[in-house]
Amino acid sequence: MVLLSLTASHHELDLDALERLSTGSMSVGRTVVGTCRPVQGTVVISTCNRFELYLDVDAPLDGDTVRHATRHVAELVAESSGVTAEVAATSFTVRTGPEVAEHLFAVAAGLDSMVVGEREIAGQVKRALAESRADGTTSKTLELLFQTASRTSKQVGHSTALGGAGRSLVSVGLDLAGESLRPYPAVRAVIIGTGAYAGAAVAALSARGCDDVRVYSQSGRAADFATSHGIGAVGQDQESLVEALEEADLVVSCSGARGRRPGSPAASAPGAEASLEYVLDAASVARARDRAAARAGDEPESDALVILDLALHRDVDPSVADVEGVLLYDLASLTAHAPTTERAVVDQARAIVTDAAARFEETRLGRAADGAVVALLDEAERQVAAEVGAAVDRLTAELAPLGHAPTESDREEIARSVRRRVHAALHGRIVAARATALAEARAAEAAVVAGAERSLRPVPATD
């Protein structure tokens, strides 16, 4: 088995490119398991700043199977996202072996996030595994990988100050919005979406004293979400959203539902990015602002409407920023305002991640060393049996003139003594054999993925 990950994140791509790559690709996990026999399992992580596929590949050491799997996955991503196969192939960073575990553990701990130390990603990693289970696309190795990632994230949270300040995109956004809003206890907020970020937004607003919060969802889940979080709900139709915006000071949009509006042709048109509908468009916002101004009459001009768009697939039309009296912050602008984290804290967290990844790899590749260790143990048992037999024969010869024979206790003591001595001498050989087998397994796997990575690079055109 070879663990393989294909990663595209804000580190390698700008957010526009990442958005294009991940559009419509959530079904890739099911498709690749169903169409690529060597792939035993997949887990897909798709968040506001990353799109990653983790694969468990049953691959021979010549690497052809892994090269085929990686190329096949890139083509599937291209097909579902509407980008070219070349763009998909060159957008991914390929990792294997210890790099896979160390990267995922760093992601789960918040070390690879736009806001270093943010905690929402830990829940997103857990949900990615749960969704893979529901789709029937996980594997024993991926289960162990993702469960270990969650445990490592908890260890980082408990053992370091990383994330202790409640860092997240939501908190960064609310801090930034607060500079242009009245005090939060007087703010009227509308949340668009009912996912993890929506829940985090409710909690963060509540912590700031904001209790006038309503939620809107195109999917019809607003009422249930509102009940479970103790807030108000907005009707499912667009006109209800416009009415809510008339009174709002703050909008936190995090649905990721762009292009999924019921009945919209864009909801089913692969690659038709230009036609995707925004959850919140400029016309709706302008209409809401005009109504608010008309209702205010001769009263002083209303405060600015601050909109935080936390969705990778941009819930909010960028032209909303041109509507008078509106301040729009998207992921890129929020990232620019993200707080820095002390280097010592990050180093401490990375040390935990590195150690956990090394232990995971030893466990995963331990099967490659088990055969060598078992062979040594079998050899040792044969040596013990031979030496015990010889020792018993000598004792029998010594006792025979006296008319005695070795007792069962004598035999057991001889066996214990011989086994203790043989196994003490064997320890060093076992350690060396295990280390050699692990090194050989890592080297073989590295050779496999090197070929796979080369296969993802486009072939230069020739004259």
Side-chain angles (χ1 to χ4, degrees):
M1 288 290 184
V2 174
L3 267 180
L4 193 69
S5 72
L6 288 83
T7 301
S9 75
H10 65 283
H11 295 297
E12 296 90 8
L13 303 173
D14 62 51
L15 291 172
D16 286 337
L18 183 58
E19 178 183 350
R20 289 194 300 273
L21 188 67
S22 61
T23 299
S25 295
M26 286 305 294
S27 62
V28 168
R30 292 190 301 271
T31 304
V32 72
V33 170
T35 60
C36 189
R37 184 164 50 184
V39 177
Q40 303 299 299
T42 65
V43 178
V44 177
I45 298 177
S46 184
T47 74
C48 66
N49 60 0
R50 69 183 61 255
F51 175 64
E52 305 188 350
L53 297 98
Y54 291 80
L55 297 90
D56 183 5
V57 184
D58 186 4
L61 295 183
D62 61 11
D64 286 343
T65 306
V66 176
R67 286 194 292 274
H68 170 73
T70 50
R71 173 58 65 178
H72 185 57
V73 169
E75 290 173 351
L76 288 175
V77 170
E79 181 179 348
S80 64
S81 302
V83 301
T84 66
E86 180 177 328
V87 167
T90 56
S91 295
F92 284 117
T93 296
V94 181
R95 295 179 175 88
T96 189
E99 291 184 344
V100 174
E102 189 160 355
H103 174 71
L104 177 60
F105 296 175
V107 167
L111 286 168
D112 198 58
S113 297
M114 286 180 169
V115 179
V116 176
E118 63 110 350
R119 303 309 299 163
E120 280 88 353
I121 185 62
Q124 291 165 337
V125 169
K126 289 181 67 175
R127 282 191 295 278
L129 178 61
E131 289 168 0
S132 178
R133 286 177 187 152
D135 289 341
T137 63
T138 189
S139 69
K140 290 182 179 179
T141 301
L142 289 172
E143 284 277 355
L144 177 62
L145 175 68
F146 274 73
Q147 290 176 17
T148 306
S150 293
R151 288 195 297 271
T152 302
S153 175
K154 289 179 182 178
Q155 184 182 357
V156 168
H158 292 155
S159 305
T160 75
L162 192 70
R167 294 182 181 88
S168 70
L169 280 173
V170 172
S171 63
V172 170
L174 293 183
D175 288 345
L176 186 58
E179 298 175 4
S180 305
L181 293 170
R182 64 187 71 179
Y184 267 108
V187 166
R188 299 160 297 183
V190 173
I191 296 174
I192 298 176
T194 56
Y197 274 122
V202 172
L205 286 167
S206 177
R208 287 165 169 77
C210 177
D211 57 8
D212 187 346
V213 182
R214 289 184 287 171
V215 62
Y216 167 81
S217 172
Q218 292 179 340
S219 63
R221 290 192 289 264
D224 290 340
F225 182 91
T227 300
S228 63
H229 288 78
I231 61 175
V234 177
Q236 186 176 348
D237 60 284
Q238 193 74 5
E239 183 59 28
S240 295
L241 175 59
V242 172
E243 292 174 0
L245 295 180
E246 290 180 39
E247 302 176 355
D249 305 298
L250 171 68
V251 176
V252 181
S253 193
C254 46
S255 75
R258 180 180 167 197
R260 296 206 299 267
R261 185 172 298 168
S264 167
S268 58
E273 186 200 356
S275 66
L276 292 182
E277 295 183 36
Y278 292 99
V279 179
L280 190 57
D281 56 39
S284 296
V285 175
R287 194 159 69 251
R289 295 296 292 173
D290 287 344
R291 290 181 184 178
R295 187 175 56 197
D298 296 331
E299 294 180 8
E301 186 176 345
S302 59
D303 295 333
L305 172 64
V306 181
I307 301 176
L308 304 178
D309 187 356
L310 305 184
L312 172 61
H313 297 280
R314 288 180 177 165
D315 284 346
V316 183
D317 185 342
S319 63
V320 165
D322 297 328
V323 177
E324 186 176 354
V326 174
L327 295 176
L328 173 62
Y329 296 105
D330 60 11
L331 288 176
S333 55
L334 293 181
T335 303
H337 290 83
T340 58
T341 306
E342 291 183 15
R343 179 63 180 269
V345 175
V346 173
D347 288 346
Q348 183 184 6
R350 287 203 178 279
I352 293 173
V353 164
T354 299
D355 182 59
R359 291 198 308 271
F360 172 83
E361 277 303 295
E362 186 167 346
T363 299
R364 185 177 74 87
L365 294 178
R367 287 170 295 187
D370 287 346
V373 173
V374 168
L376 286 175
L377 291 173
D378 288 344
E379 178 187 333
E381 285 303 308
R382 289 192 294 270
Q383 181 181 346
V384 167
E387 291 193 18
V388 168
V392 170
D393 289 345
R394 286 195 300 272
L395 182 59
T396 299
E398 292 173 4
L399 294 177
L402 303 175
H404 297 296
T407 64
E408 187 63 28
S409 178
D410 292 332
R411 294 174 184 275
E412 290 177 356
E413 178 59 32
I414 290 172
R416 281 195 297 270
S417 176
V418 171
R419 182 168 282 107
R420 191 161 47 242
R421 175 171 51 79
V422 170
H423 279 264
L426 185 65
H427 177 71
R429 294 177 64 194
I430 288 178
V431 171
R434 186 174 183 82
T436 298
L438 285 171
E440 290 175 350
R442 290 188 180 109
E445 192 171 80
V448 170
V449 83
E453 189 168 14
R454 284 193 299 272
S455 76
L456 284 175
R457 300 174 189 150
V459 178
T462 57
D463 294 333

